[in-house]
Amino acid sequence: MRYTPKSELDQRIAKLQNAMRQHDIDGAVIVQNADLFYFAGTIQRSHLFVPSEGKPLLLVKKSLERAKEESPMDNVISLDSLKEFNAVLQKYGYGQFKTLGFELDVLPANLYVRYQKLVEPARIVDISQLIRAVRMVKSPYEIEILRDISKLHEEIFSLIRENMREGISELELTGIIAAASRKNGHSGLMRVRGMNQDLFFVHLLSGKNTFPSYFDGSVGGKGVSPAFAQGSSYKMIGRNEPVLLDYSFVLDGYMLDQTRIFCHGKLPDHLAGAHALAIDILKEIKKVARPGVACGKLYDVAMQMAGDSAYGKHFLGFPEPVAFVGHGIGIELDELPVIAHGFDIPLEEGMVIAIEPKFVFPDGAVGVENTYLVVKDGLENLTVFDEEIIYV
Amino acid sequence: MRYTPKSELDQRIAKLQNAMRQHDIDGAVIVQNADLFYFAGTIQRSHLFVPSEGKPLLLVKKSLERAKEESPMDNVISLDSLKEFNAVLQKYGYGQFKTLGFELDVLPANLYVRYQKLVEPARIVDISQLIRAVRMVKSPYEIEILRDISKLHEEIFSLIRENMREGISELELTGIIAAASRKNGHSGLMRVRGMNQDLFFVHLLSGKNTFPSYFDGSVGGKGVSPAFAQGSSYKMIGRNEPVLLDYSFVLDGYMLDQTRIFCHGKLPDHLAGAHALAIDILKEIKKVARPGVACGKLYDVAMQMAGDSAYGKHFLGFPEPVAFVGHGIGIELDELPVIAHGFDIPLEEGMVIAIEPKFVFPDGAVGVENTYLVVKDGLENLTVFDEEIIYV
């Protein structure tokens, strides 16, 4: 179990402060779990106050004892009631803000209104995109964690080979993978930033279980109920159909995203053909991608290749495709950058992106998803496992 | 797999409309998954518009096809862009609102600001407490689902008896329970309404793994990382220590909440004594509870009994106790009512409440949690399983 080192937090805070100064934001108040973990090393119930210059304060409601153990920050102090918020900040020399940044993409409206009253006459501005931009480029420390996850992914994907038999239900196989994951230290949860975007970490679908869903992903699945309308179902796994495993091991707060296709028997030609095309698309993207290239370019390359093929209308979801072929990943599943048309941010060393060319047909979904680290001369694959259809 | 019947949705909508009229709210716009599922029977990405009088509209972004299949509502229609929102409402005869209710306890601030512009000159008001009050009292249909879950809980708790051995890690045992749950149709996720309150559905802790946590529960646990700082850890289960299983099977969108204590060997006297007191507290609460009694009364009874004992300062968490001894439950873990001091809402037939007198010591947590249905003459336990310490 890792505790984020102080040097790491200091660098992150410095990057945020730099961005804040560029945008004339006097201070930031961070409260959401993913961001708290990133900037403070703990998710104990807290307000993390970051001034545009000077030392941050972690104001903890519960558990103070544990926040002190988990966070190496200099100022980890108690804040029992919001009424004391301004006074505590003043005590540390902070006050008279013109603008304060909050995570307005995830902060509930009621809290927003409450904070507005609390901090007036300061004006609340949205700092979520600055935070997400800071988190977009990973540090060597973060990449080290991702490399550990890479090894765990290899073990987990191997489990399918051993456990997939005809007549086992999607749910049972999902359970086997979940159990092995938890045993090896998986947190059991994965964080998604977008509202309503909840997802179990083992997304396993077979054959015709390719129903569209509310989730912003290309392959939905029936799920077990309209209340959680995606993912594995009671369906039994049969012969000659693809079994898609889209999986993330969450270790030390971080995750990768990886998809592979398994099959008993032999896939019909259209599925095998589309899968081969997905592999080709990844190869082509790898040729194009390097620091400085706009993210949107990778999407355009993928769309061009899929569009030129016989499988174009099944690319990235069917009947309604999603609008991206990849996404940043780290503490949350939906980090920046987005690999989508017109997304002009250039690739940068240290970005970590999942790229997922997938084809969805009424009788099955195929494709490959890898998570790549952007390095000096291109993309380094962190999810190395046979990309061909894996016949078991 | 159940699809919510139309008669059920009609009753729910009618209750909400009644509450809206009492509060002079002209319309409600519901977007959060739990509430969408409750009022529309689907969580496909949608806006559910409920006028204070007349028929509701489900405006669906994705997947329309699936929303039509899952929701028996009369008006399930496409809304591809928010720009068309007002026009679509007008087409169905709705407009010129003075006040519109939104779920401001869960709606992100950025969306709130966006909706404000969209619906002006209407004023947005918070309808979340009205919604939560409607959801608080369960229908016979909902209770039927809970009774099905009750049977599944019995199976799952029996699994501990079969699988708990000395030297198995908390995480491995958690995985076994998770796998059996998924196999039997558990959704893999449980919904909690409060911000940042994420929780894996198998909360299993042994011996000294009783660390406090960010979560608003009495027993935290170390977890696998400061990024998910609660729950099962790598710790091996030993002799003469309590193993606490706090568990919820989520079926057809609903859940119960149940806690039992298991042990190899024999518990030390203080833990056995505190556990016996927890059972007594539940018995006393059962004597007092009936429709019309204020929820706070149950909390006061529990606090009185714990306070009179040698274990008072370990009640409901240590070193920082939580402020409630129970909570409503259904689609979300943290529903109304709250069983806490001063919570004056009277118990009502059809409420479903989890009551959880627990004692937390540095060397172990003990106690019992049952979920009860409020019936005419008191409480009916939906989580029947041996309440004594279960020696395995």
Side-chain angles (χ1 to χ4, degrees):
Chain A
M1 192 189 303
R2 287 176 171 94
Y3 288 76
T4 318
K6 179 142 196 322
S7 57
E8 184 74 17
L9 294 187
D10 287 348
Q11 285 165 34
R12 297 174 184 181
I13 293 279
K15 275 166 78 178
L16 180 62
Q17 288 178 319
N18 191 32
M20 286 163 63
R21 288 192 296 267
Q22 282 174 24
H23 290 81
D24 282 325
I25 298 173
D26 300 331
V29 180
I30 294 170
V31 297
Q32 184 246 27
N33 278 349
D35 296 334
L36 277 178
F37 176 65
Y38 183 80
F39 288 110
T42 179
I43 62 163
Q44 298 304 319
R45 215 177 309 156
S46 309
H47 293 77
L48 173 64
F49 172 73
V50 181
S52 60
E53 303 207 42
K55 283 203 171 183
L57 309 175
L58 188 65
L59 312 170
V60 186
K61 167 100 177 159
K62 176 174 180 262
S63 145
L64 178 62
E65 171 196 343
R66 201 159 167 187
K68 283 185 173 171
E69 183 199 320
E70 293 172 347
S71 176
M73 286 176 54
D74 290 329
N75 295 312
V76 179
I77 51 192
S78 171
L79 179 76
D80 204 49
S81 161
L82 267 190
K83 288 175 196 153
E84 306 153 22
F85 184 80
N86 292 316
V88 171
L89 258 54
Q90 266 177 13
K91 194 180 140 194
Y92 282 81
Y94 299 119
Q96 300 200 313
F97 310 108
K98 280 187 193 148
T99 53
L100 280 174
F102 281 73
E103 304 145 297
L104 299 191
D105 64 336
V106 290
L107 188 75
N110 275 345
L111 285 176
Y112 168 61
V113 171
R114 194 169 164 199
Y115 286 124
Q116 268 190 327
K117 283 180 195 146
L118 185 74
V119 303
E120 63 190 11
R123 190 168 55 90
I124 287 184
V125 295
D126 184 16
I127 201 172
S128 58
Q129 291 311 305
L130 294 192
I131 287 175
R132 296 185 72 205
V134 167
R135 285 177 42 194
M136 179 167 66
V137 178
K138 272 65 179 176
S139 69
Y141 169 78
E142 291 175 289
I143 293 164
E144 187 185 288
I145 298 174
L146 297 177
R147 290 192 194 285
D148 285 352
I149 298 172
S150 180
K151 291 170 213 150
L152 290 161
H153 267 232
E154 226 175 313
E155 282 180 41
I156 293 291
F157 277 80
S158 300
L159 276 181
I160 299 280
R161 276 209 182 97
E162 296 156 29
N163 289 283
M164 189 176 120
R165 58 174 199 273
E166 263 185 85
I168 192 173
S169 73
E170 292 175 2
L171 283 169
E172 183 171 358
L173 196 50
T174 291
I176 290 170
I177 297 165
S181 305
R182 287 296 274 152
K183 184 180 174 182
N184 285 298
H186 192 301
S187 63
L189 298 170
M190 53 197 292
R191 296 211 163 96
V192 189
R193 196 168 186 102
M195 189 191 184
N196 282 336
Q197 297 292 287
D198 43 19
L199 185 69
F200 189 65
F201 61 93
V202 184
H203 191 64
L204 184 146
L205 311 163
S206 69
K208 63 181 170 31
N209 183 18
T210 60
F211 300 86
S213 87
Y214 67 101
F215 193 82
D216 202 13
S218 53
V219 197
K222 181 122 187 131
V224 291
S225 159
F228 293 88
Q230 72 164 341
S232 306
S233 72
Y234 294 94
K235 177 184 174 299
M236 302 296 175
I237 290 170
R239 283 189 73 77
N240 308 324
E241 63 178 18
V243 175
L244 177 147
L245 174 60
D246 187 347
Y247 175 81
S248 293
F249 198 109
V250 184
L251 178 79
D252 290 327
Y254 286 80
M255 62 187 133
L256 296 174
D257 202 357
Q258 182 172 7
T259 302
R260 291 296 185 271
I261 305 296
F262 300 81
C263 179
H264 278 300
K266 192 172 179 310
L267 281 194
D269 287 348
H270 65 290
L271 294 176
H275 189 79
L277 178 56
I279 293 175
D280 286 345
I281 288 173
L282 278 181
K283 278 186 193 150
E284 196 59 31
I285 284 177
K286 274 201 82 168
K287 277 188 207 159
V288 173
R290 69 183 61 82
V293 171
C295 293
K297 173 76 180 162
L298 311 190
Y299 176 84
D300 296 343
V301 163
M303 289 305 284
Q304 178 80 48
M305 288 179 72
D308 287 348
S309 78
Y311 315 115
K313 70 175 180 170
H314 297 275
F315 192 48
L316 302 182
F318 182 81
E320 297 150 296
V322 296
F324 60 90
V325 75
H327 52 88
I329 187 165
I331 298 172
E332 291 172 314
L333 184 68
D334 48 351
E335 297 198 357
L336 296 178
V338 186
I339 312 298
H341 183 69
F343 198 89
D344 289 333
I345 290 186
L347 290 174
E348 192 176 331
E349 269 190 78
M351 282 181 177
V352 174
I353 49 176
I355 305 185
E356 45 181 332
K358 292 174 187 164
F359 293 87
V360 183
F361 298 84
D363 60 342
V366 292
V368 178
E369 178 173 28
N370 284 329
T371 301
Y372 297 99
L373 171 65
V374 179
V375 293
K376 205 171 173 181
D377 55 355
L379 300 181
E380 179 193 334
N381 186 10
L382 298 173
T383 47
V384 180
F385 197 86
D386 194 354
E387 294 181 1
E388 305 289 334
I389 294 154
I390 300 159
Y391 289 100
V392 292
Chain B
M1 191 188 302
R2 286 176 171 95
Y3 289 75
T4 318
K6 180 146 196 318
S7 57
E8 183 73 16
L9 294 186
D10 287 347
Q11 285 164 34
R12 297 174 184 181
I13 293 279
K15 274 165 80 178
L16 180 62
Q17 288 178 319
N18 191 33
M20 285 163 63
R21 289 192 296 268
Q22 283 173 25
H23 290 80
D24 282 327
I25 299 174
D26 300 332
V29 180
I30 293 170
V31 299
Q32 185 246 26
N33 278 349
D35 296 334
L36 277 179
F37 176 64
Y38 183 80
F39 288 109
T42 179
I43 61 163
Q44 298 303 320
R45 216 177 307 158
S46 309
H47 292 77
L48 173 64
F49 171 72
V50 182
S52 60
E53 304 207 42
K55 282 204 171 184
L57 310 174
L58 188 65
L59 312 170
V60 185
K61 167 99 178 162
K62 176 177 180 261
S63 144
L64 178 63
E65 171 195 344
R66 201 158 168 187
K68 283 185 174 171
E69 184 199 320
E70 293 172 347
S71 177
M73 287 176 53
D74 290 329
N75 294 312
V76 179
I77 51 191
S78 171
L79 180 77
D80 203 50
S81 161
L82 266 189
K83 287 175 196 152
E84 307 153 23
F85 184 81
N86 291 318
V88 171
L89 258 55
Q90 267 176 12
K91 194 181 142 196
Y92 282 81
Y94 299 119
Q96 300 200 311
F97 309 108
K98 281 187 192 149
T99 53
L100 280 173
F102 281 73
E103 304 143 296
L104 299 191
D105 64 337
V106 291
L107 188 74
N110 275 344
L111 285 176
Y112 168 61
V113 171
R114 196 169 162 198
Y115 285 124
Q116 267 189 326
K117 284 181 192 144
L118 185 74
V119 304
E120 64 189 11
R123 191 168 55 90
I124 287 184
V125 295
D126 185 16
I127 202 171
S128 58
Q129 292 310 306
L130 293 192
I131 287 174
R132 297 183 73 206
V134 167
R135 285 177 42 195
M136 180 167 66
V137 178
K138 272 64 180 176
S139 69
Y141 170 78
E142 291 176 290
I143 293 164
E144 185 185 289
I145 298 174
L146 296 177
R147 291 193 193 284
D148 285 352
I149 299 173
S150 181
K151 291 170 214 151
L152 290 161
H153 266 232
E154 225 175 313
E155 282 180 40
I156 293 292
F157 277 81
S158 300
L159 275 181
I160 298 279
R161 276 209 180 97
E162 295 156 29
N163 289 283
M164 189 176 118
R165 57 175 200 275
E166 262 185 85
I168 193 173
S169 74
E170 291 175 1
L171 283 169
E172 184 171 357
L173 196 49
T174 290
I176 290 169
I177 297 165
S181 305
R182 286 296 274 153
K183 185 180 173 184
N184 284 299
H186 192 300
S187 64
L189 298 171
M190 52 198 292
R191 297 214 163 95
V192 189
R193 195 167 187 102
M195 189 192 183
N196 282 334
Q197 297 291 289
D198 43 20
L199 185 70
F200 189 66
F201 62 92
V202 184
H203 192 63
L204 184 146
L205 311 163
S206 69
K208 64 181 172 27
N209 184 18
T210 60
F211 300 85
S213 87
Y214 67 101
F215 193 81
D216 203 13
S218 54
V219 197
K222 181 121 187 129
V224 291
S225 158
F228 292 88
Q230 73 165 342
S232 305
S233 72
Y234 294 93
K235 178 184 173 302
M236 302 296 175
I237 290 170
R239 283 189 74 75
N240 308 324
E241 64 178 18
V243 174
L244 176 146
L245 174 61
D246 187 349
Y247 175 82
S248 293
F249 198 110
V250 183
L251 178 79
D252 290 326
Y254 286 80
M255 62 188 134
L256 296 174
D257 202 358
Q258 181 172 7
T259 302
R260 291 296 186 268
I261 305 296
F262 299 82
C263 179
H264 277 299
K266 192 172 179 312
L267 281 195
D269 286 349
H270 64 290
L271 294 176
H275 188 80
L277 177 56
I279 294 174
D280 286 345
I281 288 173
L282 278 182
K283 277 186 195 152
E284 195 59 33
I285 284 177
K286 273 200 84 168
K287 277 188 210 160
V288 173
R290 70 183 62 81
V293 171
C295 292
K297 174 76 180 162
L298 310 191
Y299 177 84
D300 295 342
V301 164
M303 288 305 284
Q304 178 79 48
M305 288 179 71
D308 287 347
S309 78
Y311 314 116
K313 68 175 181 171
H314 297 276
F315 191 49
L316 302 182
F318 182 82
E320 296 150 295
V322 295
F324 60 90
V325 75
H327 53 89
I329 186 164
I331 298 172
E332 291 172 313
L333 185 68
D334 48 351
E335 296 197 357
L336 295 179
V338 186
I339 312 297
H341 183 69
F343 199 90
D344 289 333
I345 291 186
L347 290 174
E348 192 176 332
E349 269 190 78
M351 282 182 178
V352 174
I353 49 176
I355 306 185
E356 43 180 335
K358 292 174 187 165
F359 293 87
V360 183
F361 298 84
D363 59 342
V366 291
V368 178
E369 178 172 27
N370 284 329
T371 301
Y372 297 99
L373 170 65
V374 180
V375 292
K376 204 173 173 180
D377 55 354
L379 301 180
E380 178 193 335
N381 186 10
L382 298 174
T383 46
V384 180
F385 197 85
D386 194 354
E387 294 181 0
E388 304 289 333
I389 294 155
I390 300 158
Y391 289 101
V392 292

